[in-house]
Amino acid sequence: MQRSATRKRVAVTGASGLIGSALVRSLRADGHDVLRLVRRPARTADEVEWDPKRLYVDAAGLVGVDAVVHLAGAGVGERRWNEAYKKEIRDSRVLGTTAISQALASLADPPETLVCGTALGWYGDTGTRAVDESAPAGTGFLPSVCGEWEAAAAPAEEAGIRVAYARTGLVVARQGGAWGRLFPVFRAGLGGRMGDGRQYWSHISLHDEVAALRHLVDTPALSGPVNLTAPEPVTNREVTAAMGRVLRRPTVFTVPAPALRIVLGDFAQDVLGSQRVLPGRLLESGFDFAFPTIDDSIRAALR
């Protein structure tokens, strides 16, 4: 099948989420055809039914797509972590990726590209040590999930599809995600550092996240892990100062580590952990960040 070199047909999972909905808008604004995978019978021509828990995808609906961007998964910061929710986090990613990759591999003419959204959780707690894509996996729950998550795309790779693993940092946005919860607190003048504030937070603006995903779709040389995070990781203490500076609010409060463990459960160890991750391969491939610093990212989110 001859595919257009310019206008693309792109399928997106997680299309109703923070990143997915922004990606769909961006692609459509530039004239691309977008299919959204939905967990119910398709109602419109731009929908494809799937059920990741049953490993089901209506593969016929994916015939002719040039690329798939797979972003679906239970939010790691949506609820307090317990064993049941940790299982949901793992299953939503591993089963979803397995379903998508098997469906694409079954096509007589599979797409050229699968961009599989994963996470910086792969690296675990790096402390003050800066790491890039060459670093090995860390230890703990999120690194193990990320390892299984990426391994689940093996059927797509074996079918000759270029697979890029978009290891995303903390997305700075007002509309949702972890940062969406921070903005109201800091606007009210109740924001402050978490724990001792020395842990690194590797962030990326929503604008740059969407641009980077599109860069992965459009750059044939990029496969394997690619870190989607701004080039200047900052500590939680620096994030706190930047939020206060941009929002012009005091940041005198502190959330002590024991309180975070009570509220967040096992997730607290990741909030208090440090990830100083660099976007080595993204920069090497010529990607240009519109909002490279934490102040830039916060201001972009407020526009």
Side-chain angles (χ1 to χ4, degrees):
M1 180 182 295
Q2 185 66 34
R3 296 191 174 103
S4 168
T6 54
R7 183 176 182 177
K8 284 185 168 63
R9 190 169 175 82
V10 183
V12 180
T13 77
S16 63
L18 171 67
I19 299 170
S21 60
L23 175 64
V24 169
R25 288 193 301 272
S26 175
L27 288 167
R28 285 180 171 166
D30 287 341
H32 299 290
D33 294 328
V34 180
L35 298 175
R36 298 173 297 114
L37 277 78
V38 296
R39 304 184 196 204
R40 52 168 172 73
R43 296 172 185 161
T44 60
D46 70 339
E47 294 181 344
V48 176
E49 182 182 0
W50 80 316
D51 184 344
K53 290 184 178 180
R54 293 194 296 116
L55 298 179
Y56 170 74
V57 180
D58 178 11
L62 298 176
V63 171
V65 300
D66 299 289
V68 175
V69 182
H70 172 46
L71 301 172
V76 295
E78 299 300 316
R79 288 167 42 189
R80 186 180 190 276
W81 280 15
N82 54 29
E83 290 307 311
Y85 194 61
K86 286 165 72 173
K87 183 178 187 301
E88 183 175 342
I89 288 171
R90 184 187 299 272
D91 288 352
S92 69
R93 287 158 172 74
V94 176
L95 297 180
T97 304
T98 299
I100 286 295
S101 58
Q102 289 181 347
L104 298 181
S106 74
L107 297 175
D109 185 25
E112 299 166 357
T113 304
L114 168 62
V115 175
C116 182
T118 64
L120 299 187
W122 164 275
Y123 301 103
D125 190 335
T126 72
T128 59
R129 177 173 53 95
V131 299
D132 61 14
E133 293 88 351
S134 65
T139 58
F141 174 69
L142 284 181
S144 70
V145 169
C146 289
E148 292 183 50
W149 192 356
E150 296 185 6
E157 288 188 326
E158 292 164 3
I161 298 169
R162 175 176 67 91
V163 180
Y165 301 99
R167 294 177 178 168
T168 293
L170 291 167
V171 177
V172 185
R174 282 183 304 166
Q175 304 95 320
W179 230 283
R181 296 185 177 191
L182 290 180
F183 273 111
V185 175
F186 276 85
R187 278 186 182 279
L190 301 175
R193 61 179 172 82
M194 298 183 183
D196 62 19
R198 289 181 290 186
Q199 68 272 31
Y200 275 88
W201 280 16
S202 295
H203 67 281
I204 185 169
S205 71
L206 180 59
H207 174 98
D208 284 331
E209 171 72 11
V210 169
L213 290 170
R214 293 189 56 175
H215 182 73
L216 292 183
V217 169
D218 294 335
T219 308
L222 283 174
S223 61
V226 182
N227 295 333
L228 271 56
T229 182
E232 300 179 19
V234 290
T235 65
N236 175 257
R237 189 185 296 272
E238 291 170 321
V239 167
T240 299
M243 290 286 280
R245 188 163 55 243
V246 173
L247 294 173
R248 298 181 181 179
R249 294 290 189 274
T251 56
V252 297
F253 292 92
T254 299
V255 184
L260 284 171
R261 294 188 180 97
I262 292 171
V263 173
L264 301 178
D266 290 347
F267 183 43
Q269 67 191 39
D270 291 279
V271 172
L272 295 168
S274 182
Q275 290 189 312
R276 190 178 183 183
V277 182
L278 305 177
R281 299 194 64 209
L282 203 55
L283 292 172
E284 289 168 6
S285 68
F287 182 79
D288 186 22
F289 284 88
F291 305 104
T293 71
I294 186 60
D295 288 62
D296 291 337
S297 296
I298 295 169
R299 290 192 181 99
L302 295 173
R303 291 174 186 168

